[in-house]
Amino acid sequence: MLCYHRRMPEEMRKQDTCPSQRARFVRGLKLGLPIFLGYAPIGAAFGIVARGLGFTPLQAAVCSGTALAGAGQLIALQLLGAGAGVAAVVFTTAIVNLRYILFGAALSQHVTGMPLLRQAFLAYTLTDETFAVNIDDSRRETASFASMAGVGVIAWAGWVLGTTVGALAAGAIGDPTRFGVQFAMPAMFTALLVAQAEDRTHVLTAVVAAIFAIGLMLILPDPWYLIVAPILAATVATVVHR
Amino acid sequence: MNSSVIWAVVIGMAVVNFAIRFPSIAILSRTELPAWAKRWLSYIPVSAMATLVVGGVVRPDGRWLGPLENPYLWAAAVTGVVYWRLRSFLGATVVGVICFLAFTALLG
């Protein structure tokens, strides 16, 4: 069995030089537990809105289970509700999710040498949150396929379970915004942003990205700033820190 | 809404989302990138998270909110500080949502 750990704190190395696949998977599940708790209510909100638009609970659950596209799915519902056609809906969600090309590119540097099928599974469970958690874990060199799969599985479960409960119990739950569901994503993004801001360079890069984001939101049609702002900020950081 | 339209959207989104996510992982993990490209990619996570926070906080639901009418902004500030001090993803998210409800009540 290949041990992905290349460098670990002395303390940890003494206890456990190379944990089992199972132990790493379970570690991933624990790392991803906050994502589960964050996704479940947002998934429920998606399920409720989807039911309102005429999705069956099965359709809502299959949509969440196969697309796993948070904001992309909610925007799709908005467009469907506004009477947009299938192609327009799919195209818009694609643009909302274009940033995953960047995320996949960044993640690729941490999964070199991994078999294609495993990479396909990680791609399937790639979301903003699983990406940030796995990158953070990879930087500490404690990530492996098993741990990343654990993060992916539990995030997927939260999203699909939430959607199913929301779609089945839409009437009983009522308006999910009274529980503050609409802040669950921004809250996770904020915590994950602070987790990525490991040194001065990264903090400055975050500030540059924030400025680009605001500027681009003003001049570009939505949701292009989501992909253009990170590209510009990373370019500035790379050029400045040559 | 017509069931076949919904299935078409569901299938279309599934295909498109995987098609967006997979190729860059598969191809770039098998390509030796120059040092500057690796460095560029290393700045993507922090840039992307900052962009997502800004989008979700200064213009929630597509509407710009000034500082004094924006519970998202203040709740995010608390969330960030809590994560910074405690390094707890779960703790920061839970405190953030509670603060959001409190700030929403306060700011009307």
Side-chain angles (χ1 to χ4, degrees):
Chain A
M1 186 176 62
L2 184 67
C3 189
Y4 281 86
H5 295 210
R6 292 174 294 257
R7 179 166 52 80
M8 281 196 299
E10 202 53 44
E11 194 72 350
M12 272 170 73
R13 201 177 303 154
K14 268 182 228 146
Q15 292 169 356
D16 196 14
T17 44
C18 190
S20 69
Q21 292 282 67
R22 189 196 158 94
R24 290 192 213 141
F25 180 75
V26 170
R27 200 174 133 273
L29 293 179
K30 285 185 190 155
L31 275 177
L33 182 65
I35 308 180
F36 177 95
L37 296 172
Y39 278 5
I42 310 165
F46 171 79
I48 292 168
V49 180
R51 269 315 283 286
L53 278 173
F55 279 60
T56 63
L58 177 70
Q59 285 170 327
V62 170
C63 185
S64 284
T66 55
L68 197 66
Q73 282 176 235
L74 287 159
I75 288 166
L77 291 187
Q78 265 178 25
L79 290 171
L80 274 175
V86 175
V89 173
V90 173
F91 179 72
T92 308
T93 58
I95 295 181
V96 173
N97 288 335
L98 271 186
R99 65 182 179 282
Y100 291 124
I101 295 177
L102 286 180
F103 290 9
L107 190 64
S108 74
Q109 299 306 299
H110 299 277
V111 296
T112 51
M114 190 184 279
L116 204 60
L117 260 181
R118 291 183 169 198
Q119 291 179 337
F121 180 77
L122 294 183
Y124 174 62
T125 56
L126 179 67
T127 68
D128 302 315
E129 289 80 5
T130 61
F131 169 69
V133 166
N134 284 331
I135 287 279
D136 193 37
D137 201 31
S138 297
R139 267 206 319 255
R140 280 189 233 118
E141 317 227 353
T142 46
S144 59
F145 169 72
S147 75
M148 293 188 192
V151 173
V153 163
I154 193 145
W156 184 91
W159 185 241
V160 176
L161 203 68
T163 302
T164 308
V165 169
L168 288 173
I173 299 172
D175 179 7
T177 60
R178 67 198 154 100
F179 307 116
V181 170
Q182 65 276 46
F183 191 68
M185 283 282 187
M188 286 194 280
F189 293 150
T190 306
L192 293 169
L193 168 64
V194 179
Q196 304 297 331
E198 53 179 9
D199 57 25
R200 205 166 143 266
T201 310
H202 284 79
V203 172
L204 288 175
T205 307
V207 172
V208 171
I211 294 168
F212 274 128
I214 291 178
L216 292 167
M217 280 157 76
L218 289 167
I219 57 172
L220 288 183
D222 265 7
W224 285 99
Y225 75 95
L226 280 177
I227 184 162
V228 181
I231 288 177
L232 293 178
T235 305
V236 169
T238 308
V239 171
V240 172
H241 295 279
R242 235 180 328 203
Chain B
M1 192 166 296
N2 186 329
S3 180
S4 57
V5 169
I6 292 176
W7 279 121
V9 167
V10 168
I11 293 165
M13 280 173 56
V15 171
V16 162
N17 274 301
F18 189 72
I20 285 173
R21 284 160 162 147
F22 185 46
S24 57
I25 295 182
I27 296 167
L28 294 180
S29 65
R30 287 166 177 77
T31 314
E32 188 50 47
L33 294 177
W36 63 264
K38 287 185 185 171
R39 219 171 43 245
W40 187 83
L41 285 174
S42 77
Y43 291 119
I44 288 296
V46 74
S47 308
M49 286 301 134
T51 303
L52 287 166
V53 168
V54 166
V57 162
V58 305
R59 206 195 49 178
D61 286 330
R63 203 162 67 89
W64 293 89
L65 289 180
L68 289 178
E69 46 168 5
N70 191 339
Y72 291 83
L73 185 65
W74 299 108
V78 175
T79 309
V81 170
V82 170
Y83 185 85
W84 178 48
R85 302 309 302 181
L86 301 181
R87 294 279 143 188
S88 162
F89 181 22
L90 182 58
T93 306
V94 171
V95 170
V97 171
I98 293 169
C99 283
F100 173 77
L101 289 171
F103 287 131
T104 304
L106 274 176
L107 300 173

